[in-house]
Amino acid sequence: ILTKDEPIGKILERNNLEVRREIREIGWFKDEELKKLFKAKGNLFLFRRYHIIHKGEVLIKIEEVFPLFKRST
C-alpha cells in the first residue's frame, strides 16, 4: 500500500485480486486516550479485527476502531 489515502478495496480491485474477508474478532472496550483523540462524547469504542485472504493466505490484517458515541462539538 503506497498511500494511506487510497482505499484498500480500490487497490485490490485495480490489481484484480480475488479475496475474501475473514472476521477474527468483534468487541468493545473503554479508553480515555482514544476519547480525546476521536473527540468523542464517551469512552466506549467498538472494534473489529479481520483478515483479507487471497489464495488461502492472509494478505492483510486489519483492525478498525469506532467511537460508540458521536463526536462532541
Side-chain angles (χ1 to χ4, degrees):
I1 299 176
L2 301 176
T3 175
K4 65 181 180 179
D5 296 330
E6 187 173 15
I8 291 170
K10 292 288 183 186
I11 295 168
L12 297 172
E13 183 180 318
R14 184 180 67 239
N15 290 286
N16 296 315
L17 295 176
E18 187 173 319
V19 299
R20 65 181 173 85
R21 179 169 51 181
E22 183 177 280
I23 303 294
R24 306 298 290 176
E25 188 177 3
I26 296 173
W28 65 272
F29 62 95
K30 294 180 179 182
D31 191 300
E32 289 298 323
E33 291 299 315
L34 283 179
K35 177 184 175 183
K36 294 173 191 172
L37 181 68
F38 277 97
K39 298 179 181 170
K41 289 183 180 178
N43 66 348
L44 289 176
F45 294 85
L46 302 175
F47 73 90
R48 65 180 174 186
R49 293 182 183 113
Y50 58 95
H51 294 169
I52 302 294
I53 309 291
H54 174 64
K55 294 185 178 180
E57 299 289 328
V58 175
L59 182 64
I60 304 169
K61 293 181 180 181
I62 297 174
E63 180 173 352
E64 297 175 315
V65 175
F66 308 94
L68 188 57
F69 299 102
K70 294 181 180 179
R71 291 174 62 134
S72 58
T73 54

